[in-house]
Every structure is written in C-alpha cells, then in structure tokens.
Amino acid sequence: MNQESKKPAKLQAVKGMNDFLPEEGGLLQALEEHLHDWLAAYGYRNIRTPVLEQTALFRRGIGEVTDIVEKEMFSFTDRLNGDELTMRPEFTAGIVRATVEHSLLYNGPQRVFSMGPVFRHERPQRGRYRQFHQIDVEALGFAGPDVDAELIVMLKRLWDDLKLTDVRLELNTLGSPAERLAHRAALIKYFEAHADQLDEDAKRRLHSNPLRILDTKNPAMQALVNDAPRLAEHLGSESKQHFEDLQDYLRDAGIAYTINPRLVRGLDYYNLTVFEWITDQLGAQGTICGGGRYDGLIELFGGKSEPAVGFAIGVERLLDLVKQTGALDGAGSCDVYVVHQAGEAKKAARRAFTLAEQLRSTGLDVVLHCGGGSFKSQMKKADASGAEFALIIGDDELAAGEVTLKPLRGDAAQVRLPMAEAAARIIDNLSEELES
Ligand code: HAM
C-alpha cells in the first residue's frame, strides 16, 4: 500500500445543504445588518425559537395534506425518549407556538421577526436547497388590512434599498374558512364532473385538498383549471371589504400588483390576504418572498382567537439578487491594511502591531499583515482585502517615526505623515468619500 492510499477520504456536506464561505459570508453579514435596520424602522423585535419542534406542531399548523408535511420534513424519533421531532421547515408554526405558550399577546399585539435556517427535503437546484435561510416577519394580534399593507410596503422599501428592479407582486384573497368550504364544495363538484381530465396528483387531492389542484403545473390541466369555480364568487362582504381596503392602501403607496386568483400558497393556515413577490432573474425558483394572513392559527394551537399576518423571504434567493445588483458591494471590507517591511524587521513588526491597535481604538477596521513576505506580496494582499488604504511602515518611515498612507481605490496620491496623525487623516478621508 502506498502512502497516498492511506489518506482518509474527504467528508462532504449533506446534499442540498450549503456552506457560506468567507467571501459570501461578508455579503451575507452586510445583508443581515441592513435587514436589522430595516426591521427596526418598522418596530419589529427579534424572537428566536428552537430549530427542533414536536412533529405534531407542523402537522397541525401547516396541514397534513401539504407537500411540506407529506414529503419534505426532516422528521425523526428521538432515540432516548421516543419523541417525534422535526427540524423546522418554516418559522410561523414555532413562533405561534411560543406566542401561545408564553401568552405573548396578553399586553396587546406584537411585531416580531426571526432569521435562521429552515429545512425541507426538496430536490436541490439553483435557489432550492434542503437547508436554506428565511427572514420571517410576523405581525401578531393585528386584524386590519392596514398591517397587511404595511408588510407589503415595507418589502417594497427593501427591494428599492437593495436596488432590485425586477420584482413583481402577486396578490390574492382566500376569504374566510366558511367561504372556502363553500368554494371547496363547488370545486369538488366541478372536478368530479371532469374526473377523466384529472392527473394522478389531482385525483389524490380531489377530496383531501382540491384547492391545491388549482396550483398544478401540468399543462394538460390548465384549461380545466382556468374554468374552475372561483373563490371570488363565494366571498362575503367582509372579506371583499378587507381586500378592497388593502388595495386602497397599496394604491396610495404607489405599489403595483397583479391579482392572481390561483395564488393559494403551499401552507394550509392562510385566510384572506395572501401574496408573493416574484422575479424573473433567478430562473425557475423566482419567488423570493411569500406570506399572508393566518387568523385561525393561534386558536388552532390552543390560544385565544387572535388574528395575525406575516411573510418570509428566502435569504439565498435574495442574496443571489443582491450579488447581481451590487447594492452591498464593498460592505464588510476593512478600512486599513497595515504593511511593514524594513531591515529591522522585528522593530517594524512591533511598531505596526502597536499602530494597528491604536487605529482600532479610533473605530477603524484594521487588518495587520502577519507572516512576513515581500513588500510586493504584502501590497497584493492589501489590495485583495478590499481595504481603502494601505498603511506602510518601511525603513524610512521607521527612522522618521512616520507612515506612508496609500489610497488603494481611486487615483489619489500617497502621502507621508507622522504616525500620530494617521488615524485622523484616514477618518477624514473616509468621511469625505461618504459625503461625495
Ligand atoms: P414559503 O412560501 O413556504 O412561506 O417560504 C418563503 C420563502 O422561502 C419562499 O418564497 C422562498 O423564497 C424561500 N424558500 C422556500 N423553499 C425554499 C428552498 N427549498 N430553498 C430555498 N429557498 C426556499 C413560508 O415559509 C411561510 N412561513 C411564510 C409566512 C410567514 N407566512 C406567514 N408568515
């Protein structure tokens, strides 16, 4: 056996679960910081619930006859106590469980958000993963269309901030449970009358979840589905009014939308408003955000009847778009890269070390070159770091108690200046750049 074959095999990540390497991690961090500011502007506060929940929670919340519960959950039996557990496939059910468990609405409505990984056993492709991340936003205890509109307006602001231009809004109303029952009965009657045109999936869903048949991607069923009874024909005056009022708010805010009567969403808890934001920039997985009202869920989890509405954004999809627009380019880079090379190598290194700490005390982000190397290779690293400035300590500088400050972006000339003035000069330059 040769030396080579003794090498242990490399281990790989689980299929459909991605690593974010530092290059992407910086952008992700910048995005998260932006999102925190955006959420704070609308009064949303952070809530964090466990990744693992009882499987029964999702079965009851999302619905037994949904793709998520039927096919996509990472569920297992706890070896030690036999509990049936599931890695959250979304946030809403867990947040509502926590709301009920801790009587969160006792003192009135709450605006909350959460960010983190969620898990669905789907077939991986661009924009579709088995571990992905969501930014989940929930307005709990609010009944009116004003808060539905606020959620949509706030999303539009986010797209604008991130310079996303190609994102469109689709909107629908699912009415009340009673209205949906009447519509459901009409749908079953209609599809039964056309049973010969149904595919296997539709036949299976005919009596369990006929609404999902409307969501079919099968081209052969499009004509049948287009002529199916519409929920709009079964809506009562309250549901109609809610939808009208929401649209008034959106018109006032100048938000364009299309009403898509076939938008039913893949989770069973929705009523009244549902919406999705869709882009053509991401290929097949173009939905970057989905949400809606779920007025029955809190009561379904044993709480007092309280209305609620929310949405979740797919972080990987949003990140993909942000890479395309470049809106957060350069975010997360350091301000200064300290380069040192002199005959008295140790002295230069110690001076650089002290100076880097002094610069950090003024609030600057500083990378100190470590590990030696030629001046040329250090300058290459300085450039690759994304820093605005290289701060150089060479023989001359060391002797004079000075540094050379070299702007790395743009074509301003380098300057020599006393070491003690370096921080102030860098801060001045950075703030001038911000203003221009
Ligand atoms: P959802 O539509 O299932 O809604 O997921 C929200 C978003 O997560 C999607 O629009 C998409 O961007 C992203 N997403 C979904 N599946 C994947 C995947 N396999 N890989 C990558 N991204 C994906 C919900 O989860 C609801 N809980 C939203 C909500 C909150 N409704 C009310 N409150």
Side-chain angles (χ1 to χ4, degrees):
M1 207 187 275
N2 64 26
Q3 210 52 25
E4 212 41 20
S5 61
K6 277 192 199 146
K7 251 176 115 179
K10 282 187 188 154
L11 295 171
Q12 290 181 333
V14 175
K15 185 174 176 197
M17 306 205 176
N18 300 316
D19 300 308
F20 284 98
L21 300 177
E23 190 110 346
E24 231 181 3
L27 187 62
L28 188 61
Q29 211 176 354
L31 178 62
E32 281 170 357
E33 277 164 24
H34 185 88
L35 292 167
H36 282 129
D37 290 346
W38 165 71
L39 289 158
Y42 287 85
Y44 282 83
R45 297 188 305 155
N46 195 210
I47 183 167
R48 299 184 194 201
T49 59
V51 169
L52 279 183
E53 296 274 2
Q54 306 285 348
T55 300
L57 176 82
F58 301 115
R59 302 188 82 92
R60 200 194 299 178
I62 296 171
E64 296 281 354
V65 197
T66 54
D67 281 349
I68 297 179
V69 169
E70 280 185 338
K71 305 187 235 175
E72 296 169 1
M73 295 204 301
F74 282 89
S75 300
F76 61 94
T77 309
D78 185 327
R79 274 185 301 158
L80 300 179
N81 59 11
D83 283 355
E84 295 297 333
L85 302 177
T86 292
M87 301 182 67
R88 64 179 176 213
E90 59 123 33
F91 280 94
T92 312
I95 290 177
V96 170
R97 183 217 23 89
T99 301
V100 173
E101 193 170 332
H102 305 288
S103 309
L104 208 63
L105 300 185
Y106 186 76
N107 291 322
Q110 298 275 347
R111 288 176 163 89
V112 298
F113 76 92
S114 212
M115 293 187 204
V118 291
F119 303 84
R120 294 185 194 176
H121 205 288
E122 293 191 80
R123 190 192 294 272
Q125 55 171 259
R126 178 181 176 191
R128 192 166 73 193
Y129 311 105
R130 290 183 177 171
Q131 174 180 296
F132 59 101
H133 296 75
Q134 284 188 342
I135 304 143
D136 184 88
V137 172
E138 311 289 358
L140 303 157
F142 295 92
D146 51 349
V147 78
D148 303 16
E150 188 185 90
L151 290 174
I152 289 171
V153 167
M154 108 187 237
L155 283 160
K156 177 67 168 65
R157 178 184 292 275
L158 181 64
W159 315 145
D160 288 348
D161 285 352
L162 297 176
K163 302 191 169 57
L164 313 188
T165 44
D166 169 38
V167 200
R168 62 180 187 278
L169 172 63
E170 291 196 356
L171 204 60
N172 192 20
T173 179
L174 300 182
S176 71
E179 290 153 6
R180 283 225 298 284
L181 269 181
H183 177 227
R184 186 191 144 99
L187 274 181
I188 293 178
K189 209 167 145 200
Y190 171 81
F191 285 127
E192 273 175 349
H194 298 88
D196 51 327
Q197 296 173 47
L198 297 181
D199 62 15
E200 283 312 307
D201 219 31
K203 277 185 190 144
R204 201 170 50 81
R205 287 183 156 143
L206 178 56
H207 293 280
S208 57
N209 198 347
L211 211 69
R212 291 287 291 168
I213 301 178
L214 302 178
D215 222 12
T216 178
K217 303 275 180 288
N218 183 352
M221 282 180 46
Q222 295 307 313
L224 180 69
V225 158
N226 280 338
D227 290 342
R230 298 272 165 113
L231 176 67
E233 296 150 24
H234 299 270
L235 288 181
S237 58
E238 264 185 48
S239 296
K240 279 186 184 151
Q241 195 61 50
H242 190 102
F243 201 40
E244 284 302 318
D245 290 350
L246 166 62
Q247 292 177 64
D248 285 341
Y249 281 111
L250 295 183
R251 272 190 291 269
D252 286 350
I255 295 197
Y257 58 88
T258 353
I259 295 177
N260 175 1
R262 289 172 52 184
L263 180 68
V264 292
R265 310 269 303 127
L267 307 97
D268 280 357
Y269 47 61
Y270 293 112
N271 68 300
L272 294 174
T273 313
V274 287
F275 59 88
E276 283 184 352
W277 290 89
I278 302 160
T279 178
D280 292 325
Q281 305 291 102
L282 294 178
Q285 305 303 317
T287 308
I288 55 170
C289 172
R293 197 159 260 292
Y294 50 95
D295 294 334
L297 193 59
I298 298 178
E299 195 175 15
L300 189 67
F301 283 173
K304 210 169 113 233
S305 171
E306 291 271 12
V309 56
F311 62 76
I313 303 172
V315 174
E316 283 76 0
R317 295 181 192 180
L318 183 60
L319 198 65
D320 201 339
L321 289 176
V322 169
K323 276 186 206 158
Q324 293 178 33
T325 69
L328 296 174
D329 279 4
S333 302
C334 61
D335 300 318
V336 186
Y337 192 99
V338 180
V339 166
H340 50 92
Q341 234 242 347
E344 287 189 77
K346 193 168 167 198
K347 199 168 167 200
R350 286 173 60 191
R351 187 65 65 80
F353 193 95
T354 317
L355 183 64
E357 270 303 288
Q358 285 166 356
L359 294 175
R360 292 185 189 111
S361 297
T362 67
L364 290 168
D365 297 336
V366 182
V367 172
L368 171 65
H369 181 81
C370 291
S374 69
F375 178 72
K376 200 169 155 203
S377 81
Q378 290 192 35
M379 285 306 291
K380 259 194 183 161
K381 291 211 165 78
D383 199 41
S385 74
E388 290 291 327
F389 296 96
L391 211 149
I392 302 161
I393 303 179
D395 282 319
D396 289 356
E397 288 87 350
L398 204 57
E402 293 183 338
V403 291
T404 295
L405 186 62
K406 182 175 166 53
L408 295 172
R409 323 284 146 204
D411 33 41
Q414 65 180 47
V415 286
R416 273 275 291 269
L417 70 169
M419 205 170 276
E421 288 171 23
R425 179 71 71 94
I426 294 169
I427 291 167
D428 274 0
N429 273 305
L430 288 175
S431 44
E432 262 169 39
E433 253 169 56
L434 274 182
E435 279 159 23
S436 65

Coordinates of all heavy atoms in Angstrom, one line a residue, residues 68 90 92 120 122 127-129 132 134 136-138 265 267 269-270 287-292 294 310-314 317, ligand 1:
I68 N -45.1 20.1 2.1 CA -44.1 20.2 3.2 C -44.3 19.0 4.2 O -43.4 18.3 4.5 CB -44.3 21.5 3.9 CG1 -43.9 22.7 3.0 CG2 -43.3 21.5 5.1 CD1 -44.0 24.1 3.6
E90 N -40.2 25.9 8.5 CA -40.6 27.3 8.4 C -40.7 27.8 9.8 O -40.6 27.0 10.8 CB -42.0 27.4 7.7 CG -43.1 26.7 8.4 CD -44.3 27.5 8.8 OE1 -44.6 28.5 8.2 OE2 -44.9 27.2 9.9
T92 N -43.2 30.1 11.1 CA -44.5 30.6 11.6 C -45.1 29.7 12.7 O -45.5 30.2 13.8 CB -45.5 30.8 10.4 OG1 -44.9 31.5 9.4 CG2 -46.8 31.5 10.9
R120 N -36.1 21.7 4.4 CA -37.1 21.0 3.6 C -36.4 20.0 2.6 O -35.5 20.4 1.9 CB -37.9 22.0 2.7 CG -38.8 22.9 3.6 CD -39.7 23.8 2.8 NE -40.2 24.9 3.6 CZ -40.9 25.9 3.1 NH1 -41.2 26.0 1.9 NH2 -41.3 26.8 4.0
E122 N -36.3 18.9 -0.4 CA -36.8 19.1 -1.7 C -35.6 18.6 -2.7 O -34.5 18.4 -2.2 CB -37.1 20.6 -2.0 CG -38.3 21.0 -1.2 CD -38.7 22.4 -1.6 OE1 -39.4 22.5 -2.7 OE2 -38.4 23.4 -0.9
G127 N -31.3 27.9 -6.2 CA -32.4 28.6 -5.4 C -33.3 27.7 -4.6 O -34.2 28.1 -4.0
R128 N -33.0 26.4 -4.7 CA -33.8 25.4 -3.9 C -32.9 24.5 -3.2 O -32.2 23.7 -3.8 CB -34.8 24.7 -4.8 CG -35.9 23.9 -4.0 CD -37.0 23.5 -4.9 NE -36.6 22.4 -5.7 CZ -37.3 21.9 -6.8 NH1 -38.4 22.5 -7.1 NH2 -36.8 20.9 -7.5
Y129 N -32.9 24.5 -1.9 CA -32.0 23.8 -1.1 C -32.7 23.0 0.0 O -33.9 23.3 0.3 CB -30.9 24.7 -0.5 CG -30.3 25.6 -1.5 CD1 -30.7 27.0 -1.6 CD2 -29.5 25.1 -2.5 CE1 -30.2 27.8 -2.6 CE2 -29.0 25.9 -3.5 CZ -29.3 27.2 -3.6 OH -28.9 28.0 -4.6
F132 N -32.0 25.9 4.0 CA -32.0 27.3 3.5 C -32.3 28.2 4.6 O -32.5 27.8 5.8 CB -32.9 27.5 2.2 CG -34.3 27.2 2.5 CD1 -35.2 28.3 2.7 CD2 -34.8 25.9 2.5 CE1 -36.6 28.1 2.9 CE2 -36.2 25.7 2.8 CZ -37.1 26.8 3.0
Q134 N -34.4 31.7 6.1 CA -35.5 32.7 5.9 C -35.4 33.9 6.9 O -34.8 33.8 8.0 CB -36.8 32.0 6.3 CG -37.3 31.0 5.2 CD -38.7 30.5 5.5 OE1 -39.3 30.6 6.6 NE2 -39.4 30.0 4.5
D136 N -38.1 35.9 8.6 CA -39.5 35.7 8.9 C -40.0 36.8 9.7 O -39.5 37.2 10.7 CB -39.7 34.4 9.6 CG -41.2 34.1 9.8 OD1 -41.8 33.4 8.9 OD2 -41.8 34.5 10.8
V137 N -41.1 37.4 9.3 CA -41.7 38.6 9.9 C -43.2 38.3 10.2 O -43.9 37.9 9.3 CB -41.5 39.8 9.0 CG1 -42.3 41.0 9.5 CG2 -40.1 40.1 8.7
E138 N -43.6 38.5 11.5 CA -44.9 38.2 11.9 C -45.5 39.4 12.6 O -44.9 39.9 13.6 CB -45.0 37.0 12.7 CG -44.3 35.7 12.2 CD -44.9 35.1 11.0 OE1 -45.9 35.5 10.5 OE2 -44.3 34.1 10.5
R265 N -50.8 29.4 -2.2 CA -49.7 29.2 -1.3 C -49.7 27.7 -0.8 O -50.7 27.0 -1.0 CB -49.8 30.1 0.0 CG -50.0 31.5 -0.4 CD -48.7 32.3 -0.5 NE -47.9 32.2 0.8 CZ -46.6 31.7 0.8 NH1 -46.0 31.4 -0.3 NH2 -46.0 31.7 1.9
L267 N -49.2 26.3 2.2 CA -49.4 26.0 3.6 C -50.9 26.3 3.9 O -51.5 27.2 3.4 CB -48.5 26.9 4.5 CG -47.0 26.8 4.2 CD1 -46.6 28.0 3.3 CD2 -46.2 26.8 5.4
Y269 N -52.6 27.3 6.6 CA -53.1 28.1 7.6 C -53.6 29.5 7.1 O -54.2 30.3 7.9 CB -52.1 28.3 8.8 CG -50.7 28.7 8.4 CD1 -50.3 29.8 7.7 CD2 -49.6 27.8 8.8 CE1 -49.0 30.1 7.4 CE2 -48.3 28.1 8.5 CZ -48.0 29.3 7.8 OH -46.7 29.6 7.5
Y270 N -53.5 29.8 5.9 CA -53.9 31.1 5.4 C -55.4 31.4 5.3 O -56.2 30.5 5.0 CB -53.2 31.4 4.1 CG -51.7 31.5 4.1 CD1 -50.9 30.5 3.5 CD2 -51.1 32.6 4.8 CE1 -49.5 30.6 3.6 CE2 -49.7 32.6 4.9 CZ -49.0 31.7 4.3 OH -47.6 31.8 4.3
T287 N -39.6 32.9 -6.7 CA -40.4 33.5 -5.6 C -39.4 33.9 -4.5 O -38.8 33.0 -3.9 CB -41.5 32.6 -5.1 OG1 -42.3 32.1 -6.2 CG2 -42.4 33.3 -4.1
I288 N -39.3 35.1 -4.2 CA -38.3 35.5 -3.2 C -39.0 35.7 -1.8 O -38.3 35.8 -0.8 CB -37.4 36.7 -3.5 CG1 -38.3 37.9 -3.9 CG2 -36.5 36.4 -4.7 CD1 -37.4 39.2 -4.0
C289 N -40.3 35.9 -1.8 CA -41.0 36.1 -0.6 C -42.4 35.7 -0.7 O -43.1 35.9 -1.7 CB -40.9 37.7 -0.3 SG -41.9 38.2 1.1
G290 N -42.9 35.1 0.4 CA -44.3 34.7 0.4 C -44.9 34.9 1.7 O -44.2 34.8 2.7
G291 N -46.2 35.2 1.8 CA -46.8 35.4 3.1 C -48.3 35.6 3.0 O -48.9 35.4 1.9
G292 N -48.9 36.0 4.1 CA -50.3 36.2 4.1 C -50.9 36.2 5.6 O -50.1 36.1 6.5
Y294 N -53.1 34.7 8.7 CA -53.5 33.3 9.2 C -54.2 33.5 10.6 O -53.7 33.2 11.6 CB -52.2 32.5 9.4 CG -51.1 33.1 10.1 CD1 -50.9 33.0 11.5 CD2 -50.2 34.0 9.5 CE1 -49.8 33.6 12.2 CE2 -49.1 34.6 10.1 CZ -49.0 34.4 11.5 OH -47.9 35.0 12.2
G310 N -48.2 37.7 8.2 CA -46.7 37.7 8.1 C -46.2 37.2 6.8 O -46.9 37.0 5.9
F311 N -44.9 37.2 6.7 CA -44.2 36.7 5.4 C -42.9 36.1 5.7 O -42.3 36.4 6.8 CB -44.1 37.8 4.4 CG -43.2 39.0 4.8 CD1 -41.8 38.9 4.8 CD2 -43.8 40.2 5.2 CE1 -41.0 39.9 5.2 CE2 -43.0 41.3 5.6 CZ -41.6 41.1 5.6
A312 N -42.3 35.4 4.8 CA -40.9 35.0 4.9 C -40.2 35.2 3.6 O -40.8 35.0 2.5 CB -40.8 33.5 5.3
I313 N -38.9 35.7 3.7 CA -38.1 35.9 2.5 C -37.1 34.8 2.4 O -36.5 34.4 3.5 CB -37.3 37.2 2.6 CG1 -38.3 38.4 2.8 CG2 -36.4 37.5 1.4 CD1 -37.6 39.7 3.0
G314 N -36.8 34.2 1.3 CA -35.7 33.2 1.1 C -34.4 34.0 1.0 O -34.2 34.7 0.0
R317 N -32.1 33.2 -2.1 CA -32.6 33.9 -3.3 C -32.3 35.4 -3.3 O -31.9 36.0 -4.3 CB -34.1 33.6 -3.5 CG -34.3 32.1 -3.7 CD -35.7 31.7 -3.9 NE -35.9 30.3 -3.8 CZ -37.0 29.6 -3.9 NH1 -38.2 30.3 -4.2 NH2 -37.1 28.3 -3.8
Ligands
HAM1 P1 -42.9 29.8 2.0 O1 -43.5 30.4 0.7 O2 -43.0 28.3 2.1 O3 -43.6 30.5 3.2 O4 -41.4 30.2 2.0 C1 -41.0 31.5 2.0 C2 -39.8 31.7 1.1 O5 -38.7 30.8 1.4 C3 -40.1 31.4 -0.4 O6 -40.7 32.5 -1.0 C4 -38.7 31.2 -0.9 O7 -38.1 32.4 -1.2 C5 -38.0 30.5 0.2 N1 -37.9 29.1 0.1 C6 -38.8 28.2 0.2 N2 -38.4 26.9 0.0 C7 -37.1 27.1 -0.3 C8 -36.0 26.1 -0.6 N3 -36.2 24.8 -0.7 N4 -34.7 26.6 -0.9 C9 -34.5 28.0 -0.8 N5 -35.5 28.9 -0.5 C10 -36.7 28.4 -0.3 C11 -43.4 30.2 4.5 O8 -42.4 29.5 4.9 C12 -44.3 30.9 5.4 N6 -44.0 30.5 6.8 C13 -44.2 32.4 5.3 C14 -45.1 33.1 6.2 C15 -44.8 33.8 7.4 N7 -46.4 33.3 6.1 C16 -46.9 34.0 7.2 N8 -45.9 34.3 7.9

